[in-house]
Amino acid sequence: MLKINIIIFMILAAATVFTHTRVDRYEKTGPDLLTGQWMGRPPENSPSRRADVKENAIALFSDDPKAGVNIYQEISGLDPGTVLEFFADMKCEDVKPGEKPWNRARVLLVQNDHKKDRWDIPHLVASLAGTLGWETYRVFFPIHPETKKIRVIAQLSQSTGLLELKHIRLYPVSQARVYTWIRDGLLFLWTAFSFLLIGSCFVMGQKRMVLRVLLVSALIAIVFGTTMPGEMRTLVLNDIKTWVNPEPHPGNSSPDQWDLSKIGHFCFFAVFGLILCLMMPMVAAFQVMIIILLLAGGTETAQFLIDGRTPLLGDFFIDAAGGFSGIMLIRSTPMNNQ
C-alpha cells in the first residue's frame, strides 16, 4: 500500500510543479496603471540622495542612512477583488541595511482604506540588501474590499546604496480559465491523496474508533492550516500576533508570525505522528515516518496552487521533525517496548 501511495505522490507532485511552471496563471485584463509621475523625489541638488526616473526605469541612491530615498505613485478607483500583477527587473549595489528589519532597499504595494495604510495586508514586492544582480520579480496582489487607493513605493528605507528597477509594470489581471480548471482538479486529487493515506492507516492499524476520529481530526487540521489562502493566513496570524504583542511596528514584516507558523507546523505533525503510532503499534517506525513524509510533502507541494502561499523546504523539515518527535515519544516509552 505504501508503494502505491509513493507512486501517486510522485505523479501528483510532478503534475503540480509542471502546472506551476508551465501553465500561465493569470491573463491581463487592462492597461499598465503606472505612469512616469513618481512623487517624493529628493531635491536635485542633494549631494547624498538621488532618484533618477527615466522611461520605465528608476535608480535610487543614498549615502545618508538617516534619510534614505522614498518615491511613490498613488492609484485610486480600483474595484474590490481586482488582482494586480507587479512586474519589474531589479538589482542593488552595496545596500547596507539600517537597524530595523525594514531598513533595506524595498519595493512595496501598500493598500489604503482612506483612514490608514493597511500593513496587515500583503504588501512586499522585494526587500534587498548587499549587492545582487538583475532579477525579475513578479508578484500578485488582490485588492482588499476596503481599499480605496494603493501606493506603489520604491525606497531605500534609512539604508544606503543603490537600487535600480527597469521594465516596471502594474497590470490588472484575472485568473486564466484553463489554469483554474487544472488547479481545482489537482487540489481535489491532493485532498483525495491525503485521505488515501489515512485509509491505508485504517487498514494497517487498530480499529479503535477514538483513534480513528483523532487521526482524521489531526489530518483535517493539518490540511486546513497548510493550504489556507495566503490572505486568510496572514489575517489569522496577525490577529494572534496582535493579541500577543498589541504594539507592532507598522510596515514591519517581522519574523514573529513566521515563527508562530513554524510552531504550528511542528506541533500538528507531532500530534499526527503520535496518533499514528498509537493506532499502528505493530507497524515499523520507518513506515510510519514515510506516511508523515508523504503528507508533509503533499501539503507543501499543493501550496504551489494556492493563492498567497509558497512551499518551503524548511517547513517540510519542520513537519518531518514534528512527526518524528511524535513517533519517538510513543515508541521510546517503556510501555510500548514491553
Side-chain angles (χ1 to χ4, degrees), residues 57-263:
I58 296 172
L60 305 181
F61 170 79
S62 174
D63 61 6
D64 183 354
K66 294 183 179 180
V69 185
N70 189 93
I71 65 172
Y72 64 92
Q73 283 193 42
E74 289 189 349
I75 301 169
S76 58
L78 297 170
D79 295 329
T82 299
V83 177
L84 299 180
E85 176 190 354
F86 183 93
F87 177 96
D89 294 328
M90 304 183 204
K91 77 170 185 176
C92 63
E93 294 181 10
D94 196 27
V95 172
K96 297 178 181 178
E99 295 181 359
K100 304 297 184 181
W102 55 90
N103 294 154
R104 300 162 68 94
R106 301 200 304 171
V107 178
L108 313 170
L109 190 151
V110 182
Q111 303 187 40
N112 184 285
D113 60 9
H114 273 340
K115 295 180 180 179
K116 62 182 182 300
D117 289 334
R118 296 295 303 271
W119 297 106
D120 57 319
I121 299 173
H123 53 273
L124 184 64
V125 176
S127 179
L128 310 177
T131 298
L132 301 171
W134 286 109
E135 186 172 346
T136 298
Y137 291 81
R138 187 184 184 196
V139 185
F140 298 93
F141 295 94
I143 298 302
H144 192 273
E146 297 178 357
T147 295
K148 303 301 181 184
K149 64 180 179 180
I150 65 170
R151 192 163 71 254
V152 179
I153 304 170
Q155 63 179 201
L156 287 165
S157 173
Q158 295 187 18
S159 56
T160 61
L162 174 67
L163 171 65
E164 293 188 62
L165 296 84
K166 63 181 181 180
H167 305 145
I168 310 166
R169 298 283 188 271
L170 182 67
Y171 290 109
V173 296
S174 63
Q175 203 158 73
R177 184 173 298 179
V178 172
Y179 175 84
T180 301
W181 291 342
I182 297 174
R183 179 204 62 188
D184 292 347
L186 284 173
L187 287 176
F188 173 80
L189 291 175
W190 275 117
T191 303
F193 172 73
S194 299
F195 283 96
L196 177 64
L197 282 178
I198 293 298
S200 65
C201 297
F202 286 174
V203 172
M204 294 186 290
Q206 297 180 2
K207 298 182 179 180
R208 294 168 61 181
M209 184 57 64
V210 173
L211 290 177
R212 291 188 172 191
V213 171
L214 289 175
L215 189 65
V216 172
S217 300
L219 174 66
I220 292 173
I222 288 171
V223 171
F224 179 77
T226 55
T227 60
M228 187 186 303
E231 184 175 356
M232 182 188 300
R233 175 180 180 273
T234 300
L235 292 175
V236 170
L237 290 174
N238 281 337
D239 286 343
I240 297 174
K241 189 170 68 170
T242 300
W243 179 72
V244 175
N245 178 21
E247 297 182 356
H249 189 284
N252 174 23
S253 299
S254 69
D256 294 346
Q257 59 176 317
W258 305 115
D259 293 343
L260 180 62
S261 72
K262 305 312 183 203
I263 294 172

Side-chain angles (χ1 to χ4, degrees), residues 275-335:
I275 297 172
L276 277 181
C277 282
L278 289 175
M279 188 173 177
M280 301 188 297
M282 305 305 295
V283 176
F286 83 91
Q287 290 182 288
V288 178
M289 193 65 201
I290 288 175
I291 294 173
I292 291 172
L293 292 177
L294 289 174
L295 180 61
T299 53
E300 286 301 315
T301 305
Q303 290 182 36
F304 277 123
L305 307 170
I306 299 170
D307 292 336
R309 301 299 297 270
T310 303
L312 298 173
L313 186 61
D315 284 351
F316 170 79
F317 285 123
I318 291 172
D319 296 343
F324 181 76
S325 298
I327 293 173
M328 294 305 297
L329 184 64
I330 297 300
R331 293 297 170 92
S332 62
T333 57
M335 182 178 296

